[in-house]
Amino acid sequence: MSIVKEQTPAPTADGSEVGEIVNEFSIQVATVNGSGSQSANNVLMRAIFHMGVPVSGKNLFPSNIAGLPTWFTIRASAKGFIGRKKEIDILVAMNRQTVRQDVESVEPGGIVLYEEKLKASQFRDDLIYFPIPFSALAREIVEDSRLRKLVTNMVYVGSLAEVLGIPMAQVRRGIEDWFKKKPKAVQLNVRAAELGSEYVAENFQRDSRFRLRQMDKTKGKIIIDGNSASAMGCLFAGVSVLTWYPITPSSSMAETLASYLNRFRIDPETGKATYAVVQAEDELAAIGMTLGAGWAGARAMTTTSGPGISLMAEFAGFGYFAEIPCVIFDVQRVGPSTGLPTRTSQGDIFSLYFLSHGDTRHLVLLPANMTECFDMAWQAFDLAEEFQQPVFVASDLDLGMNNWMADPFEYPQGKLNRGKVLDKEELERIGEFARYKDIEGDGIPCRTLPGTEHPLAAYFTRGSGHDESAAYTESPEAYTRLMDRLSRKHETAKTRIPQPVVELPQGAEIGVIAFGSTHWAIEESLLQLKREYATELGYLRVRALPLTGHVKEFVERYDRVYVVEQNRDGQLAGLIRMEIPENAGRILKILHYDGLPIDARFVTDQIADAEGLEKE
Amino acid sequence: MSSTVKSSGNVNQLGLAMADYKGARSTLCAGCGHDAISSQISRTFFEMGVNPYRVAKMSGIGCSSKTPAYFLGRSHGFNSVHGRMPSVATGAVVANRNLICLGVSGDGDTASIGLGQFCHMLRRNIPMVYVLENNGVYGLTKGQFSATSEMGARLRGGAVNDLPAIDICKLAIEMGCSYVARSFAADPRQVVPLLKGALSHNGTAVIDILSPCVTFNDHDESSRSYSWGKEHEELLHQIDFIPHFEQLPEIDYAEGEMQQVELHDGSVIQLRKVEKDYDPTNNAHAFKMLRETREAHEFLTGLIYIDPSASSFIDRLNLVDDPLALLDEKQLRPGPEVLDQLMEEFM
Ligand SMILES: Cc1ncc(C[n+]2csc(CCOP(=O)(O)OP(=O)(O)O)c2C)c(N)n1
Ligand code: SF4
Ligand SMILES: [Mg+2]
């Protein structure tokens, strides 16, 4: 590994050099929270995206408004891997508090662009350094100190563009995308980026180790965060009542959806809204309102994260027993209260599936990518109304708040499924109505909406104690019948929820099961295991709860099945063992729970170690 | 005197009989105040000619919250969870603005576990009638003190309440409630016109009704007993309710003897002076009166505060006229061109 010192970058030769790494690396930007680096990082990511190079962006931010360290990681991957890559190849160091730690985290031979004053080069001598007076450069064009802080960030974008070979035109396009309606801001930021780029061109010889080159792999693709994707799914689900209480990392879903509704769901003739958004006083009220609206016949939803889910527990069970449709989005984060609320986790699986008191099992959808964040959002509403129960959609902070590349979403197929709702005419035709009677044997009864003008329509909604006609009862037989019918309904739901995605390579002897955002690490890890250890594994990705027969079939194929998830106790593994106790011994756990998104190398190392695999 | 609707025989203007406004047989203790209120609710809705199909009966948990099963059997009911009825009602009326929402709650349900939701319902001014059946105890869990019980109150078993009472009417006015009344389950001549006024109001109408629990809190010393109520009730005014579909009677009253308040739907409440001068449209008056009567251990009943010009949460949401719950697919799901436009923005 060539060791290159400060101010004396390695001389470069023309053409594709030995050791040159093209379109396959990660960049980490270390800044201070509240310094406005978000715009700069997004511009950088979009510039790479516009070069046709697959890219993803992850924001690692503190639970703080200003002052604490924050990191943004951009991964460019010609091969299309957009999960987290732990190894950092290129660092932009802007934060004095963390500069030592940041420099230490870079892979040997990596590149460091840093604010000159931070003297980052003192910590290691196996990296290539670019000391740049970012803030001094920004001072040349901006007087105001607050604005200068923001513009300073765009200077590093320009510098990095010059180092990596991002054409200025793409940077400009990224800036125009971001500051859409503000021509003044565009002008200023373009100037800042140019300054950064010129400084590098004048003061350093280009390093050739990491290069970005134009490709065509992002043509027609979108780059989006999961919360926006889900919000869009809700818009096309025809949601009409959104209730929410702010909590990271779910707030941006509600806020984005509210803005879409405001744009696209105002009746053009009257200027009136075909939706309502209610910011509730807490999550108990949020789910209460959602259930009230669902009961009255609206497509209703709420968004939250773990602490909110805990508060919703009583009502969730009520909704299950009283059979009221609604959709609850849980953008999962790390555990309770203060500390790591801005870090990712898959730790709500148990609580979601069983949320409430008594015998309760919910339907839980588990999106793993942007397309599923969109699709499962609208599907959740169809399922909720078809099965007349709360449906949970569980993504996580990594999916919800980070930027991912995807194919454009497809318009929902078919009509809205409003479920078995009897209106006045239908009641007249049938001549009878019993709210909780299973007529078709699928466990799903018929309902009526309040306001239906028919003497048969009314019924009384309550929790556990009701018979088929919704009359109050404490009869043991009636309760048992109710519980058994709800089980029947759950069985029916197994055939209607998203089924697992299964890959069964020939000759594989072991399997992996994962769900949600863990998918990206698995997909990349499977290739690493194949390339490095000549080992192939079967892979099943769970896309919803309850678990279906596919899981049992899959587990029975293999001697050992690793369940990989981002929580400490192996919650999905626990559910699988519970469902197929006869195979519990084959289920092994690989668990990642430090609050950062899981990465492929972690999975590969764990499996190689557990299996005693030898490198090829 | 409360007005009655002109009806031919025993049916109201919808052609429905009183029986059509009754519900299942009550399972409460014989003599429970809550049952008396249920009959007054049935009567009110019958006399007002309210279409029972448009009514949503909401409640929390408690003996009081069970009662919606015992009136208006042709209306949908929702017996929710303890203290959280306001949120469910909010969702229901937002989803269907044509519903006539009636909430029934207890003092435990409202003043303890549900205090937060109660306040936020008032702050939003959710259009609904909110009946608080106040007995000073938790009936359903067998007689513990509630937060509306007077300090120093004593249960038959000897337990003493050593915390001050929450005055629901005072709290309601403080939270911006625009229709606040207090009454007594054993005084149907007052409860009925107050309920009618509440039905004609645009926003949350709170009626705090002393509703004795004969099993746990009806002993003579209790300030939540029938005998105490009968002895101490003092009327703020005589209330007449004239619905919008009836002519105002032409009676001459001496100056200052009578106050008329026109309600949101055109109905009128007539308040005839009893002893004191009291103007229920003056919120400072209301506070003063509530403070003074509490200090004097008086039980003043009537319409305590009203602001007929209040606007409700539904007004503020700027909703389309049709209920959100009944919009069709075309109104709900934007077309493919909207998706294309959004996709473009993320490219
Ligand atoms: C979450 C929860 N906590 C406690 C209870 C038990 N509980 C049932 S009714 C009730 C009190 C009801 O008192 P109140 O609202 O005054 O009604 P009343 O029976 O006096 O009419 C309580 C505490 C419950 N059902 N749910
Ligand atoms: S316990 Fe009290 S409140 Fe409950 S039904 Fe009996 S009398 Fe009424
Ligand atoms: Mg009570």
Side-chain angles (χ1 to χ4, degrees):
Chain A
M1 192 75 39
S2 66
I3 297 172
V4 186
K5 289 267 167 67
E6 189 174 337
Q7 299 271 357
T8 55
T12 56
D14 287 324
S16 79
E17 226 181 274
V18 189
E20 187 182 57
I21 297 171
V22 180
N23 297 351
E24 199 68 59
F25 48 79
S26 71
I27 304 166
Q28 175 135 306
V29 181
T31 51
V32 179
N33 203 29
S35 64
S37 53
Q38 201 201 0
S39 318
N41 297 332
N42 269 284
V43 166
L44 185 57
M45 183 182 70
R46 283 179 178 280
I48 298 172
F49 179 71
H50 290 320
M51 288 181 74
V53 181
V55 66
S56 64
K58 292 192 193 301
N59 191 4
L60 177 58
F61 59 107
S63 178
N64 157 270
I65 301 303
L68 290 185
T70 174
W71 294 269
F72 193 86
T73 311
I74 293 172
R75 179 173 187 185
S77 174
K79 298 195 194 95
F81 294 124
I82 53 178
R84 172 170 172 236
K85 177 172 184 270
K86 200 156 55 185
E87 301 82 5
I88 294 155
D89 301 309
I90 298 160
L91 171 72
V92 178
M94 303 293 285
N95 185 358
R96 187 176 297 281
Q97 287 168 285
T98 60
V99 59
R100 172 190 282 266
Q101 163 199 344
D102 291 333
V103 168
E104 277 166 4
S105 69
V106 180
E107 288 293 291
I111 295 180
V112 182
L113 278 73
Y114 64 96
E115 168 61 52
E116 199 167 35
K117 287 182 284 191
L118 301 186
K119 303 208 167 40
S121 59
Q122 64 185 303
F123 304 116
R124 275 172 73 173
D125 57 8
D126 58 345
L127 304 175
I128 303 163
Y129 291 101
F130 291 82
I132 302 170
F134 294 118
S135 53
L137 289 171
R139 199 170 300 132
E140 289 178 19
I141 52 171
V142 194
E143 293 267 313
D144 177 73
S145 68
R146 219 192 81 80
L147 188 58
R148 191 188 316 132
K149 230 166 67 180
L150 304 179
V151 167
T152 302
N153 292 313
M154 211 53 76
V155 181
Y156 72 62
V157 173
S159 300
L160 203 53
E162 179 64 24
V163 172
L164 298 176
I166 306 174
M168 210 50 208
Q170 301 295 9
V171 175
R172 175 186 281 275
R173 189 169 160 203
I175 292 173
E176 283 166 357
D177 273 3
W178 188 257
F179 297 98
K180 268 181 207 96
K181 292 180 191 98
K182 303 179 206 150
K184 264 218 180 110
V186 170
Q187 210 188 351
L188 184 63
N189 280 286
V190 168
R191 185 68 206 115
E194 283 169 357
L195 274 181
S197 149
E198 285 157 15
Y199 186 87
V200 169
E202 283 162 19
N203 293 280
F204 305 97
Q205 272 181 284
R206 251 196 205 157
D207 169 69
S208 62
R209 202 163 128 69
F210 298 99
R211 305 294 301 162
L212 280 165
R213 297 232 167 86
Q214 188 79 32
M215 308 177 73
D216 60 357
K217 285 209 175 168
T218 65
K219 199 157 184 268
K221 304 256 182 198
I222 57 168
I223 189 157
I224 193 170
D225 59 280
N227 283 350
S228 297
S230 296
M232 227 179 267
C234 297
L235 174 72
F236 290 97
V239 67
S240 53
V241 177
L242 161 66
T243 71
W244 68 295
Y245 187 77
I247 182 168
T248 305
S250 72
S251 302
S252 66
M253 189 193 307
E255 285 162 340
T256 304
L257 176 54
S259 76
Y260 291 157
L261 290 168
N262 186 41
R263 283 173 67 190
F264 302 115
R265 288 279 298 281
I266 301 288
D267 180 51
E269 272 161 41
T270 59
K272 294 193 169 186
T274 60
Y275 68 91
V277 177
V278 185
Q279 188 183 323
E281 57 268 36
D282 56 28
E283 290 87 345
L284 286 97
I287 188 172
M289 291 174 192
T290 303
L291 284 174
W295 175 76
R299 290 211 142 183
M301 64 174 282
T302 182
T303 60
T304 191
S305 188
I309 290 294
S310 299
L311 288 184
M312 292 179 182
E314 187 188 18
F315 257 136
F318 183 91
Y320 172 82
F321 275 88
E323 301 181 63
I324 302 172
C326 75
V327 178
I328 301 156
F329 286 85
D330 176 15
V331 187
Q332 296 169 92
R333 65 182 217 185
V334 169
S337 185
T338 44
L340 281 78
T342 57
R343 304 298 157 86
T344 196
S345 165
Q346 294 183 313
D348 294 349
I349 297 308
F350 277 157
S351 58
L352 288 178
Y353 190 44
F354 299 116
L355 193 68
S356 182
H357 43 291
D359 282 315
T360 313
R361 288 191 190 204
H362 295 291
L363 306 184
V364 185
L365 308 189
L366 302 165
N369 52 47
M370 296 304 103
T371 306
E372 288 181 350
C373 282
F374 175 81
D375 286 342
M376 288 186 184
W378 65 260
Q379 287 162 357
F381 286 87
D382 281 356
L383 285 168
E385 290 193 323
E386 178 176 1
F387 288 93
Q388 301 174 22
Q389 65 185 94
V391 172
F392 293 87
V393 185
S395 69
D396 59 30
L397 184 143
D398 187 23
L399 283 175
M401 292 191 71
N402 287 326
N403 287 289
W404 302 78
M405 209 177 77
D407 288 320
F409 305 146
E410 278 173 34
Y411 194 73
Q413 286 184 335
K415 291 196 164 311
L416 304 180
N417 183 350
R418 306 304 308 259
K420 299 183 191 176
V421 179
L422 303 179
D423 60 15
K424 187 176 159 184
E425 287 72 32
E426 211 105 20
L427 287 168
E428 193 57 38
R429 193 174 56 77
I430 302 169
E432 60 178 339
F433 169 57
R435 168 67 180 100
Y436 295 113
K437 193 165 163 195
D438 181 7
I439 294 164
E440 295 175 280
D442 53 5
I444 310 170
C446 297
R447 64 180 185 134
T448 57
L449 306 182
T452 307
E453 292 239 11
H454 197 279
L456 288 174
Y459 70 94
F460 200 82
T461 305
R462 50 165 77 80
S464 54
H466 52 254
D467 66 11
E468 282 75 0
S469 52
Y472 184 80
T473 177
E474 295 177 18
S475 138
E477 292 77 26
Y479 180 69
T480 313
R481 279 202 308 276
L482 166 64
M483 296 310 289
D484 291 343
R485 180 177 58 74
L486 289 173
S487 293
R488 212 151 57 235
K489 188 164 89 165
H490 200 63
E491 286 303 312
T492 308
K494 287 184 182 175
T495 65
R496 306 278 297 132
I497 56 176
Q499 301 298 316
V501 178
V502 188
E503 289 168 27
L504 304 168
Q506 286 216 328
E509 284 164 16
I510 50 177
V512 189
I513 294 180
F515 70 96
S517 63
T518 304
H519 167 70
W520 297 94
I522 301 292
E523 199 182 44
E524 190 175 354
S525 165
L526 291 179
L527 283 173
Q528 289 174 348
L529 286 162
K530 187 169 166 188
R531 199 171 56 228
E532 297 167 19
Y533 298 95
T535 300
E536 293 209 74
L537 287 81
Y539 175 32
L540 179 143
R541 178 161 69 82
V542 173
R543 299 202 303 154
L545 299 175
L547 297 170
T548 58
H550 299 91
V551 175
K552 181 174 153 77
E553 266 170 46
F554 179 83
V555 171
E556 285 176 348
R557 276 177 178 269
Y558 300 109
D559 299 336
R560 287 173 305 284
V561 173
Y562 292 91
V563 182
V564 186
E565 49 192 313
Q566 300 178 66
N567 58 59
R568 187 197 62 185
D569 293 335
Q571 299 185 11
L572 180 66
L575 288 183
I576 296 173
R577 287 176 175 171
M578 196 183 93
E579 289 292 328
I580 44 171
E582 64 280 18
N583 293 311
R586 303 174 193 219
I587 306 293
L588 303 166
K589 303 188 231 183
I590 293 182
L591 306 168
H592 188 276
Y593 49 92
D594 64 3
L596 300 179
I598 190 171
D599 64 287
R601 183 53 59 191
F602 172 84
V603 180
T604 301
D605 290 351
Q606 293 274 319
I607 292 180
D609 192 43
E611 288 290 320
L613 300 179
E614 298 283 336
K615 279 219 167 156
E616 278 284 281
Chain B
M1 187 200 95
S2 74
S3 65
T4 45
V5 169
K6 289 196 184 63
S7 51
S8 56
N10 289 331
V11 294
N12 63 12
Q13 64 266 54
L14 294 179
L16 296 174
M18 182 66 192
D20 297 319
Y21 290 84
K22 297 237 150 102
R25 245 188 69 176
S26 170
T27 58
L28 303 185
C29 309
C32 175
H34 303 348
D35 278 338
I37 298 172
S38 295
S39 337
Q40 289 148 18
I41 291 172
S42 291
R43 193 170 134 204
T44 301
F45 281 68
F46 166 68
E47 290 183 357
M48 287 288 281
V50 175
N51 182 344
Y53 307 129
R54 279 184 57 199
V55 179
K57 304 174 291 182
M58 318 300 286
S59 61
I61 296 289
C63 297
S64 34
S65 294
K66 283 180 174 228
T67 63
Y70 314 142
F71 56 78
L72 298 182
R74 293 191 174 201
S75 307
H76 277 74
F78 196 126
N79 191 179
S80 67
V81 299
H82 198 18
R84 321 287 177 204
M85 172 259 281
S87 61
V88 181
T90 301
V93 298
V94 164
N96 186 342
R97 57 180 303 167
N98 292 344
L99 292 177
I100 296 163
C101 190
L102 167 67
V104 177
S105 177
D107 41 330
D109 199 60
T110 292
S112 288
I113 191 167
L115 195 63
Q117 293 210 347
F118 178 68
C119 292
H120 285 276
M121 166 191 70
L122 297 174
R123 180 172 173 248
R124 293 192 180 97
N125 206 21
I126 300 301
M128 70 185 292
V129 179
Y130 190 97
V131 175
L132 171 63
E133 303 187 344
N134 194 341
N135 54 16
V137 288
Y138 293 181
L140 194 57
T141 51
K142 298 196 181 300
Q144 302 81 4
F145 279 120
S146 82
T148 64
S149 219
E150 299 300 325
M151 177 129 86
R154 195 178 282 274
L155 291 182
R156 245 197 316 239
V160 176
N161 174 34
D162 55 4
L163 290 173
I166 293 174
D167 185 330
I168 285 298
C169 291
K170 210 161 92 190
L171 178 69
I173 298 171
E174 175 63 36
M175 293 314 304
C177 183
S178 47
Y179 188 106
V180 181
R182 172 166 286 154
S183 195
F184 182 26
D187 186 359
R189 288 197 312 170
Q190 191 189 49
V191 172
V192 171
L194 285 174
L195 278 169
K196 288 179 176 172
L199 274 174
S200 301
H201 182 68
N202 183 32
T204 315
V206 172
I207 312 183
D208 173 14
I209 307 179
L210 169 58
S211 175
C213 168
V214 292
T215 305
F216 297 109
N217 201 13
D218 194 35
H219 45 291
D220 287 340
E221 324 80 277
S222 165
S223 63
R224 292 289 180 274
S225 66
Y226 279 115
S227 55
W228 189 90
K230 285 194 176 122
E231 271 163 41
H232 291 77
E233 183 177 13
E234 275 192 55
L235 304 182
L236 266 176
H237 31 232
Q238 296 277 1
I239 303 173
D240 296 320
F241 176 86
I242 298 101
H244 59 90
F245 47 83
E246 270 183 29
Q247 284 261 304
L248 278 177
E250 286 182 34
I251 308 171
D252 280 337
Y253 289 97
E255 265 235 0
E257 284 298 294
M258 210 262 301
Q259 183 177 6
Q260 283 191 338
V261 184
E262 186 175 335
L263 301 172
H264 181 73
D265 70 354
S267 301
V268 168
I269 278 193
Q270 286 192 349
L271 306 167
R272 278 179 291 137
K273 187 173 155 181
V274 178
E275 269 174 45
K276 310 186 181 189
D277 275 328
Y278 185 71
D279 175 7
T281 62
N282 182 327
N283 131 346
H285 261 192
F287 272 117
K288 185 159 167 283
M289 191 278 292
L290 285 170
R291 197 179 54 244
E292 288 171 2
T293 52
R294 175 155 299 271
E295 280 163 8
H297 298 284
E298 284 176 344
F299 177 42
L300 262 180
T301 62
L303 183 60
I304 293 169
Y305 178 64
I306 182 164
D307 172 7
S309 67
S311 62
S312 79
F313 191 59
I314 299 300
D315 301 333
R316 259 166 275 152
L317 286 173
N318 187 35
L319 299 179
V320 288
D321 293 341
D322 290 332
L324 297 181
L326 301 182
L327 299 181
D328 62 23
E329 177 150 351
K330 220 174 117 254
Q331 291 161 293
L332 291 176
R333 176 179 271 173
E337 71 290 349
V338 171
L339 183 60
D340 292 344
Q341 181 187 343
L342 284 168
M343 289 297 94
E344 195 72 26
E345 289 171 18
F346 285 91
M347 287 199 178

